[in-house]
Amino acid sequence: NMISGNKAKSFLEGGVDYVTETNMNIQEKLWKDYDLESQIFLRKTDDRRAEPRKDVRMKQFNAKISNARDLYEFGDFYADFSAFTLSSSLEGLHVETTPADLYTIKMVAARSAAPDGPQGTFQRNVVGAQTNWDLFRGSDLFSAFRIGVQAVTNQDDSSTITASTTTKDLRNTVVGIDGDISFARHFSLNYEIARSAHVEDDDLNTT
């Protein structure tokens, strides 16, 4: 790095930055028809523009146990319920199960901020569930007819703030119904109706 300007106030250091990154992928056959897939991504660097700390950082971890009907996932994952309720990257627990061919169930219990995120950012805890129903299978009129019902609650954890901030922690619950309707010929429809119950916490001490 060639550092110029006001060096006394710069957090950068002269010299050559190094970075060491390790990716590990694990696949294993488990009992019955279940499979295990796991991914781990580690990084160590002295480039403060890439990482605020010099120790080894675990940037991504994901473990899945699944078969054709069930999925149990822990770590970093993308939760996709619907556009108005939940569609974001999270870290925590994610479960999908298909008790019957007619419907599926999704559940998440996770957080949306990593432990080494920027100071002044709340950790947001997210809990939600969704069920999808596939109706009129084998119908001559519809090629697809799906109805989804979902509810998601998220709440900022003010105890995770490590720097003074004027941002207030938020709580929100969103309940929605969405679906896809495709006729056998010429016409399809996607829809979603959602209701939010946003609450802003005025009790956060910002002094």
Side-chain angles (χ1 to χ4, degrees), residues 125-149:
N125 301 319
V126 180
V127 177
Q130 178 191 53
T131 180
N132 282 303
W133 294 77
D134 292 320
L135 307 176
F136 303 112
R137 289 189 174 187
S139 170
D140 294 333
L141 179 61
F142 300 104
S143 60
F145 197 107
R146 181 189 66 85
I147 298 177
V149 180

Side-chain angles (χ1 to χ4, degrees), residues 11 16 31-32 42 44 62 73 78 83 91-92 108 117 123 126 128 143 145 147 151 157 162 168 174 182:
F11 65 90
V16 178
W31 65 93
K32 295 183 179 180
L42 305 175
K44 180 177 174 60
N62 178 271
E73 185 174 20
Y78 186 79
E91 56 180 29
V108 299
Q123 173 183 301
V126 180
S143 60
F145 197 107
I147 298 177
D157 185 355
T162 57
K168 293 186 170 76
V174 181
S182 297

Side-chain angles (χ1 to χ4, degrees), residues 62-99:
N62 178 271
K64 298 179 183 177
I65 297 176
S66 63
N67 62 9
R69 300 181 69 91
D70 302 319
L71 167 67
Y72 304 92
E73 185 174 20
F74 179 77
D76 300 291
F77 63 93
Y78 186 79
D80 185 12
F81 283 9
S82 69
F84 288 165
T85 55
L86 180 61
S87 181
S88 61
S89 297
L90 302 172
E91 56 180 29
L93 179 64
H94 169 218
V95 177
E96 292 188 24
T97 182
T98 307

Side-chain angles (χ1 to χ4, degrees), residues 109-125:
R111 64 184 181 184
S112 61
D116 57 353
Q119 292 187 343
T121 301
F122 291 105
Q123 173 183 301
R124 178 162 293 174
N125 301 319

Side-chain angles (χ1 to χ4, degrees), residues 82 84-85 147-150 175-179 191-195:
S82 69
F84 288 165
T85 55
I147 298 177
V149 180
Q150 49 268 329
V175 178
I177 298 174
D178 76 318
Y191 66 89
E192 180 172 3
I193 302 172
R195 175 71 175 178

